[in-house]
Amino acid sequence: MIKMQRVAYALLLFFFFTPFAGAQQAVSNAAIASAHPLATLAGREILDQGGNAFDAAIAVAGVLAVVEPYNSGLGGGGFFLLHRARDGRQVMLDAREKAPLAARTNMYLDHKGEPIPQASLVGPLAAAIPGLPAGLAHLAKRYGRFPLWQSLSAAIRLAEDGFPIDARYHAMAESHLALLQSHPEAAEQFLIERMVPKVGVLLKQPQLAATLRMLAQQGSKGFYRGPVAHAMVAAVRKQGGIWTQADLAHYQVKERAPIVFDYRGLRIVSAAPPSAGGLTLAESLNILARYDLAQLSQTQQMHLVAETLRRAYHDRARYMGDPDFVRIPSARLLSHEYAEQRAASIDLHNATPSANLRTAPSVKQGDHTTHFSIVDRAGNRVAATLSINTLFGSGFVAGKTGVLLNNEMDDFAASEQAQNVYGLAGSRANRIAPGKRPLSSMSPTFVEDKRGVLMLGTPGGSRIISMVLLAILGLEASPVPDVAALVSAPRFHHQYLPDRIEVEPGVFNAEVLDELTLKGHVVHLTQGKWGNMQAVWIDRASGRAFAASDPRVAGGALAW
Ligand code: DON
């Protein structure tokens, strides 16, 4: 019996971790797309020294933690989607933050059951237990060729010697000046004399350099145990946080089977729960596969995509959470029968009010986190989306460790009625529990077909999933894949609640938007454009790899 179980388990693993045969890909050149040129260069340096894509991912993530500290870092977490060329293994490394063991379901509610403003967003009480350091250590140990210290050396150097403030850092810090000034350690680390340094000034982070060095030399225990852990816990508790040493000592990354499905000849491999990405994409594309989008007008296409997203995000809210805590009906959500049922309520001429699906809060939006995509010459691939949640996370730097803590606790549902900072509807499946991971939208994704492999992802809170969806639709529709066009294409979004189509300003024809309004949609032009997609395309026939960074934000795309 036990033997049978083992065989079944082995078959299951084989099924989950083995891509379709066509996925083996000869690559003639390496490519990296990341949100910062210094991070891309650090990744290139590692590949040039003989490291693989996994080592390069550590270098890129490490440098981003230093030069783009407002978007990700050691105090945060994320998901790494991996493809190992040697055996075709595809796996998602889940380095998502976890709620501290002292967390309670109602911890952000007042005595009337109303959310306490900012409680899940600012200061150490908003911070979940970081996962990125464990993720980097795991990558080095299980997949890399280099020791951690070698892959992290550029990050340590840039933290120690400083990096020149760029226009983006300047703008981000300026927009969060009050948050940074209100926490002395944050002000010391990210400001000079309590003001945002001018562009070009070197910003040194010696305390972060020391923590990076501990991680680099000792691996996970350099961060989760010993002096760094003690200093973080002491600082968090002194300011009203609830972390304990046990929270850090027990943190573990998880290897999870990615969500794998097909859409019109494309094989899509994407993030598994606790990301909602893969399941929401699968449900959406299973619904859309029932229509011939190419035959429809732009208005009709946008209407259908919005109606599809409305339903898929409804299910995101209803069913999705940390799979270690809630039973997600994944098989059903992935099935074509279910897609058929959900598609049945779509009216081709009129918007379905979300209220008819269920009831309704309203919203704010944010736009920060980071993504990178890397392929090496052996064909190893990494697509990683990393975050501390909103810009500069909780704004709290833990004591003298230089570690800026996330505010990922806000990704939980504070109550079943409350919406989070991205306006995502609350749900039972995503309520807070000790040791639970908050539901995420981060969606590192591979899309493979006869022509090649696309590796992509982006920041953008709840809009991440729709951005990845639009890029997949764009790839399917383009006769010749053009990765630069995919990352720059105009964006629109629907997330069930609030009940509206959000559209980027200045890119859609007014007539199309009027037609959508006539169908009963509320069309909401956002203030600015959104996302920062970083994609790599590997052309199957030539083996050539191409990289592209979203033109909305200047990043670093390199193929060589
Ligand atoms: O995991 C999530 O879904 C969010 N914490 C991601 C945050 C993000 O993309 C920031 N941009 N708005």
Side-chain angles (χ1 to χ4, degrees):
M1 188 62 197
I2 288 175
K3 217 175 192 174
M4 279 290 289
Q5 271 176 359
R6 274 210 203 120
V7 171
Y9 187 64
L11 279 174
L12 198 71
L13 286 181
F14 179 79
F15 174 74
F16 275 136
F17 291 124
T18 307
F20 73 132
Q24 294 309 329
Q25 174 69 50
V27 184
S28 60
N29 62 301
I32 302 179
S34 92
H36 202 291
L38 289 173
T40 299
L41 287 175
R44 173 176 185 161
E45 195 179 304
I46 288 293
L47 291 180
D48 287 347
Q49 288 168 10
N52 62 20
F54 311 115
D55 300 308
I58 297 168
V60 171
V63 169
L64 289 172
V66 175
V67 304
E68 214 201 12
Y70 40 86
N71 279 347
S72 69
L74 296 188
F79 303 115
F80 295 82
L81 187 64
L82 312 181
H83 171 95
R84 186 167 61 191
R86 165 157 64 80
D87 54 2
R89 177 178 173 79
Q90 296 192 322
V91 67
M92 182 184 90
L93 206 64
D94 171 357
R96 180 70 162 164
E97 299 90 332
K98 291 178 71 164
L101 293 167
R104 294 293 172 260
T105 314
N106 294 333
M107 64 188 278
Y108 300 120
L109 303 180
D110 64 17
H111 62 282
K112 286 191 231 135
E114 295 295 328
I116 303 165
Q118 303 293 305
S120 61
L121 285 168
V122 178
L125 195 60
I129 305 304
L132 184 67
L136 299 181
H138 185 92
L139 260 182
K141 202 158 131 194
R142 294 287 163 79
Y143 296 93
R145 301 180 59 182
F146 286 176
L148 194 53
W149 61 261
Q150 189 172 353
S151 303
L152 282 176
S153 62
I156 296 171
R157 196 171 63 231
L158 287 163
E160 186 88 41
D161 302 345
F163 74 95
I165 296 278
D166 49 68
R168 214 163 131 237
Y169 181 98
H170 193 273
M172 299 298 170
E174 202 60 74
S175 70
H176 284 63
L177 188 56
L179 177 72
L180 296 174
Q181 286 176 338
S182 66
H183 295 103
E185 280 82 9
E188 187 187 332
Q189 186 160 343
F190 300 118
L191 304 174
I192 296 181
E193 288 171 5
R194 294 182 59 76
M195 297 310 284
V196 182
K198 287 208 179 67
V199 171
V201 169
L202 278 188
L203 186 80
K204 299 184 181 178
Q205 301 171 77
Q207 295 172 341
L208 177 60
T211 297
L212 278 164
R213 202 169 276 125
M214 289 291 276
L215 174 67
Q217 287 164 354
Q218 302 186 6
S220 231
K221 67 175 188 302
F223 183 89
Y224 293 90
R225 292 170 190 270
V228 172
H230 283 108
M232 288 194 297
V233 170
V236 160
R237 297 189 73 88
K238 196 165 157 211
Q239 296 298 319
I242 54 175
W243 289 17
T244 63
Q245 298 300 333
D247 281 314
L248 290 167
H250 291 157
Y251 184 87
Q252 281 196 322
V253 290
K254 296 228 163 167
E255 293 212 344
R256 301 194 192 267
I259 299 293
V260 182
F261 62 98
D262 294 315
Y263 169 74
R264 289 178 169 259
L266 306 177
R267 160 73 40 110
I268 292 145
V269 180
S270 189
S275 170
L279 287 177
T280 310
L281 282 172
E283 182 177 340
S284 300
L285 289 164
N286 285 344
I287 294 176
L288 289 171
R290 313 182 62 74
Y291 303 92
D292 191 357
L293 288 179
Q295 297 305 313
L296 300 176
S297 69
Q298 190 185 5
T299 305
Q300 259 331 70
Q301 288 184 13
M302 287 177 76
H303 171 67
L304 260 181
V305 171
E307 289 303 312
T308 297
L309 287 169
R310 180 199 306 283
R311 286 158 177 81
Y313 273 77
H314 180 216
D315 285 335
R316 179 194 193 283
R318 287 200 294 180
Y319 299 120
M320 297 180 207
D322 182 344
D324 295 341
F325 284 73
V326 293
R327 208 192 66 78
I328 305 172
S330 302
R332 181 158 161 75
L333 293 173
L334 286 166
S335 75
H336 286 279
E337 293 71 37
Y338 185 66
E340 184 180 342
Q341 281 170 17
R342 292 241 67 172
S345 68
I346 295 179
D347 178 337
L348 287 181
H349 306 293
N350 296 298
T352 311
S354 287
N356 289 7
L357 303 179
R358 233 196 125 143
T359 47
S362 75
V363 113
K364 303 174 216 88
Q365 278 283 354
D367 234 41
H368 306 281
T369 281
T370 200
H371 178 88
F372 60 83
S373 298
I374 304 179
V375 63
D376 66 20
R377 252 177 236 141
N380 296 305
R381 302 180 222 146
V382 179
T385 312
L386 309 176
S387 187
I388 49 174
N389 202 19
T390 61
L391 272 179
F392 288 101
S394 67
F396 185 80
V397 171
K400 301 288 172 206
T401 64
V403 178
L404 174 64
L405 302 187
N406 68 84
N407 57 358
E408 221 74 73
M409 290 297 284
D410 189 72
D411 275 348
F412 280 118
S415 78
E416 279 177 52
Q417 289 74 41
Q419 75 260 30
N420 73 359
V421 74
Y422 307 111
L424 286 164
S427 72
R428 185 188 298 259
N430 190 31
R431 294 299 311 270
I432 302 167
K436 188 174 175 183
R437 285 159 152 92
L439 183 60
S440 173
S441 300
M442 294 187 288
S443 310
T445 299
F446 302 149
V447 188
E448 312 175 357
D449 73 359
K450 292 195 295 288
R451 299 169 298 173
V453 182
L454 178 68
M455 313 166 52
L456 77 164
T458 178
S462 56
R463 296 178 185 138
I464 291 172
I465 306 173
S466 60
M467 284 187 254
V468 172
L469 177 84
L470 293 180
I472 295 172
L473 295 177
L475 176 68
E476 198 269 332
S478 47
V480 183
D482 173 353
V483 70
L486 292 176
V487 301
S488 27
R491 291 175 181 149
F492 64 97
H493 172 72
H494 199 298
Q495 63 178 44
Y496 164 58
L497 297 173
D499 188 350
R500 64 187 187 191
I501 299 187
E502 294 167 11
V503 293
E504 286 189 323
V507 285
F508 291 98
N509 184 319
E511 217 167 72
V512 169
L513 300 183
D514 286 346
E515 286 167 10
L516 287 167
T517 308
L518 283 176
K519 285 179 177 297
H521 289 285
V522 174
V523 174
H524 174 82
L525 283 176
T526 56
Q527 275 210 326
K529 298 186 176 183
W530 66 75
N532 189 11
M533 192 169 273
Q534 306 295 332
V536 164
W537 169 254
I538 309 161
D539 178 69
R540 203 176 286 285
S542 65
R544 277 189 68 191
F546 304 84
S549 283
D550 202 316
R552 292 164 182 80
V553 185
L558 206 58
W560 73 101

